[in-house]
Amino acid sequence: MVRCPKCATEIDVDEDEVEEGEILACPECETEMEVVQIHPVKVNAISEDDEEDEEEEESEDGDDLADDDEEEDEEEEV
């Protein structure tokens, strides 16, 4: 049994059925949390800031071409 770090709802988690690194969601507030330890099970909330940072990093890889196109458009307008 673990508690949601955000709303303190008790979540029934069997330590034999979860793995370290697994992502769980609170049934009450839908906060996502990562299993950081088993025996006993401990979780850490995954903050929305962390998720946004990961999304920005992923999009930066694909946005390089789009940024170049925008710069060329700006130069043509001048």
Side-chain angles (χ1 to χ4, degrees), residues 56-72:
E56 288 174 9
E57 289 172 8
E58 290 172 3
S59 66
E60 284 175 4
D61 294 338
D63 285 348
D64 291 341
L65 296 175
D67 291 341
D68 291 341
D69 292 342
E70 289 176 13
E71 289 174 11
E72 288 175 12

Side-chain angles (χ1 to χ4, degrees), residues 7-67:
C7 70
T9 297
E10 287 188 354
I11 304 168
D12 187 23
V13 178
D14 186 355
E15 61 187 33
D16 294 328
E17 295 181 7
V18 294
E19 295 179 9
E20 199 168 310
E22 187 173 339
I23 305 298
L24 305 174
C26 175
E28 291 295 318
C29 69
E30 298 181 7
T31 295
E32 289 188 336
M33 57 200 100
E34 178 180 8
V35 177
V36 294
Q37 176 184 326
I38 51 177
H39 305 296
V41 177
K42 290 188 181 181
V43 296
N44 281 344
I46 300 174
S47 71
E48 291 179 16
D49 294 339
D50 291 344
E51 290 175 5
E52 290 172 6
D53 291 345
E54 289 174 9
E55 289 173 5
E56 288 174 9
E57 289 172 8
E58 290 172 3
S59 66
E60 284 175 4
D61 294 338
D63 285 348
D64 291 341
L65 296 175
D67 291 341

